[in-house]
Amino acid sequence: MKLIIDTDPGVDDAMAYFYAHAHPQIDLIALTTTYGNVTIADATRNALWLGEMSGGCEPVYQGHAVPLKIEPHPPADFVHGKHGFGDYEIGTPARNAEAEEASDFLVRAAREAKGEITLCAIGPLTNVARAIEKDAGFVSNLAQLVIMGGALEVGGNVGAYAEANFWNDPHAADIVVNAPGAGRIVIVGLDVTSQIEFLAKDFDGLAKVSPIAGDFLRQIGQFYMNFYQTKTGRLSCHMHDPSAIIACLHPELMVMEETALGVVSSGEQIGNLVRREGGGRKCHIAMGVDAGALLAEFKRIVGLNP
Ligand code: BDR
Ligand code: CA
């Protein structure tokens, strides 16, 4: 599978990255960056660094710095740390981002390898919406678009209604879930990701089998779990972005509903993902998950990293 990840790294983004990097069936061809957990500059720096420390050295294309219409929210430093990786200091990467802007790259890559590329978007959807605005055939040119975002029948993780990625750019999210064409769109939101709990002992186990990548995840996971502990009382975290990456190859681990969707773009429920009446574009949204199988798959593959 040829894969591009659109990402705002981020602790769980890094977890997703090391799954994709190690998977023998995934050809990770590029990373595109978005703001959200961190600023766009930190997202790009972190993406470059992940590529260097893993040896993957995927090209990195920097994306848009702010949402389409709303004022940007501050980075979620209280969730992911000041620069995205908890208290871990990564230093300066040796490489730079590519000159091409992320949405231009996405449009070009999808056109040049029509039907071959899976795009997994695990941050705010600004780059993906801009790609659709530039090329109405963008989603149809992909093999599939898999998104981490939204909360359909469960509460939000930013206030009562919204999930963080959709809340950061609700207009972009609405454009994407209503994208023209018949290309496959899969949404993996809080309805399933909040059912999957990764424990401190799971990070410890990863560090044992993977002393470089796994130990890095163990270290940055501490800050992330500390945040969760203030919300849930448990030293653990939810598997948001890793679940979306796993759904790219293993949709059979989830129960999907096919439905038309929209995203509320103003008012009290801004960022809320809702079912939309009428015809038109439908997405596949994950409403159930085999959490045990997904966790086992994550540990098995991430454990292949050095
Ligand atoms: C999403 O928001 C970010 O904090 C995570 O990286 C994930 O993409 C979860 O709501
Ligand atoms: Ca993310």
Side-chain angles (χ1 to χ4, degrees), residues 12-13 37 80 122 148 157 163-165 240-241:
D12 61 329
D13 299 73
N37 294 331
H80 295 268
I122 56 176
M148 192 285 131
N157 59 358
E163 178 282 328
N165 289 339
H240 302 301
D241 295 344

Side-chain angles (χ1 to χ4, degrees), residues 15-189:
M15 294 168 78
Y17 171 83
F18 282 109
Y19 176 87
H21 173 72
H23 203 297
Q25 282 168 260
I26 292 180
D27 175 12
L28 184 55
I29 58 176
L31 302 175
T32 54
T33 60
T34 185
Y35 64 90
N37 294 331
V38 288
T39 63
I40 194 71
D42 276 342
T44 299
R45 188 180 73 129
N46 291 352
L48 288 165
W49 189 84
L50 285 172
E52 286 176 19
M53 75 89 75
S54 68
C57 286
E58 300 81 14
V60 173
Y61 296 83
Q62 178 161 297
H64 207 57
V66 291
L68 295 183
K69 293 190 179 163
I70 63 168
E71 283 295 311
H73 301 299
D77 54 1
F78 54 99
V79 183
H80 295 268
K82 191 164 177 214
H83 297 291
F85 291 153
D87 296 321
Y88 194 99
E89 292 289 338
I90 63 166
T92 308
R95 300 175 303 150
N96 292 317
E98 306 297 309
E100 193 175 16
E101 189 270 342
S103 64
D104 289 337
F105 164 72
L106 289 171
V107 166
R108 181 175 64 77
R111 271 189 198 151
E112 286 177 2
K114 209 169 157 80
E116 290 179 32
I117 294 174
T118 290
L119 171 61
C120 188
I122 56 176
L125 289 169
T126 315
N127 294 330
V128 185
R130 279 164 54 86
I132 292 166
E133 285 180 337
K134 288 173 183 178
D135 180 355
F138 174 64
V139 175
S140 302
N141 286 342
L142 296 169
Q144 58 176 340
L145 168 62
V146 180
I147 294 163
M148 192 285 131
L152 193 61
E153 288 184 357
V154 295
N157 59 358
V158 183
Y161 300 101
E163 178 282 328
N165 289 339
F166 283 16
W167 176 76
N168 270 307
D169 194 344
H171 297 91
D174 191 58
I175 288 170
V176 173
V177 301
N178 286 294
R184 175 179 166 88
I185 299 181
V186 177
I187 312 252
V188 178

Side-chain angles (χ1 to χ4, degrees), residues 6 14-15 25 51 59 61 77 93 134 136 169 191 194 197 211 216-217 237 247 249-250 259 279 282:
D6 187 64
M15 294 168 78
Q25 282 168 260
Y61 296 83
D77 54 1
K134 288 173 183 178
D169 194 344
D191 296 274
S194 60
E197 189 181 20
F216 168 69
L217 293 178
C237 62
L249 270 179
H250 293 291
T259 185
K282 287 186 175 172

